[in-house]
Amino acid sequence: MRSRKFLKAEQAPLVWDAPGLMAGVDEAGRGPLAGPVVAAAVILDDLRPIRGLADSKTLTALQRERLHDQILAKALCCSIAQATVEEIDTHNILQATMLAMRRAVEGLRLKPVKVLVDGNRLPTLDVLAEAIVKGDARVKAISAASILAKVHRDRLCEQLHAEFPHYGFAGHKGYGTPEHLEALQRHGACVHHRRSFSPVAAALARTGGVLNVVLPAESEQPAMMIGAVEAVRLDDLRAAP
């Protein structure tokens, strides 16, 4: 009589992916009311492992900053890209996120054979790609991409804060916190707000579509208001080609 062990089927894991470089991709900034959506793509070096990689949301700001520098120093290559506020308002946030991801992948110095993307949607790419739900916590390359995207966007928000300190961008990073909503109520929307998002649209309705433009902090001149068509974004927020 055959043993139970003999009758139990054993299946060897099958790997269908072609050998080569794998890139991880993630984004930061889909939910905020202001600022661009940022995406990063990372190809890690197996010979130079990085300890502590995890979903950027589970790390402290100091941990993210330290890992950010290690990723830039040790990864085979990295790319950070974004979609502007104007592109978010034109295409919607999902399509703008896909656009930023595609730009990040296309910006890699080395071309991967496969791209692993956090979430359940894939951008249009010319390489094999796979969407992985909770990939930022499961795949190290995606974790690395989430850290780069988060740190880069947080730094952009600090620049916005220097230009428009009364909105508190350095603290809430553009998210719809009570502080941010109160600032929108008091000051209206600025050129970096996403006009297609309902709290911003409501603020613009109150001001007749006029955007708030504040002069540099060192100036003693009062704030000015300009029409939406005159809005000019920061050079740092320009989209990649």
Side-chain angles (χ1 to χ4, degrees):
M1 181 176 179
R2 293 175 177 176
S3 66
R4 292 183 179 180
K5 181 177 180 181
F6 180 86
L7 293 174
K8 184 177 180 181
E10 293 185 5
Q11 181 175 340
L14 299 177
V15 179
W16 298 104
D17 294 334
L21 300 176
M22 298 281 186
V25 177
D26 201 2
E27 55 75 27
R30 285 185 62 174
L33 307 179
V37 59
V38 174
V42 178
I43 299 178
L44 293 175
D45 186 347
D46 292 338
L47 300 179
R48 305 183 71 189
I50 301 171
R51 293 185 178 180
L53 291 176
D55 176 4
S56 63
K57 296 185 291 296
T58 68
L59 302 170
T60 66
L62 180 58
Q63 288 173 325
R64 287 194 297 267
E65 288 284 346
R66 289 175 175 172
L67 287 167
H68 170 275
D69 294 344
Q70 289 188 56
I71 294 164
L72 294 182
K74 294 183 176 182
L76 287 176
C77 61
C78 307
S79 173
I80 300 174
Q82 57 197 34
T84 64
V85 167
E86 291 87 347
E87 289 170 325
I88 292 170
D89 289 336
T90 299
H91 303 296
N92 75 46
I93 185 58
L94 175 60
Q95 295 306 315
T97 301
M98 297 297 106
L99 179 60
M101 287 182 170
R102 177 171 62 80
R103 287 171 173 162
V105 174
E106 292 175 348
L108 287 169
R109 177 177 56 85
L110 303 173
K111 187 166 184 175
V113 298
K114 187 174 182 180
V115 174
L116 306 177
V117 181
D118 181 56
N120 58 5
R121 300 290 185 95
L122 289 173
T124 301
L125 301 170
D126 63 354
V127 296
L128 182 65
E130 179 182 353
I132 301 179
V133 176
K134 299 186 183 300
D136 48 7
R138 299 167 55 191
V139 179
K140 290 187 181 299
I142 298 179
S143 300
S146 76
I147 292 166
L148 289 192
K150 172 65 174 169
V151 171
H152 184 81
R153 192 178 188 283
D154 284 355
R155 291 176 178 178
L156 288 179
C157 287
E158 290 172 3
Q159 294 178 27
L160 299 190
H161 183 84
E163 186 182 3
F164 292 91
H166 51 283
Y167 287 108
F169 288 126
H172 54 63
K173 305 301 186 292
Y175 284 90
T177 63
E179 175 192 7
H180 192 182
L181 295 176
E182 181 182 354
L184 273 173
Q185 178 76 25
R186 181 179 303 176
H187 304 291
C190 76
V191 293
H192 303 295
H193 279 102
R194 302 172 180 178
R195 283 166 265 179
S196 57
F197 281 44
S198 56
V200 180
L204 285 171
R206 289 192 297 270
T207 61
V210 177
L211 295 173
N212 183 7
V213 175
V214 177
L215 296 175
E218 61 271 19
S219 172
E220 295 181 357
Q221 299 182 49
M224 299 185 300
M225 303 291 282
I226 64 171
V229 295
E230 300 176 68
V232 179
R233 60 181 178 270
L234 291 174
D235 288 342
D236 289 338
L237 298 185
R238 287 177 182 161

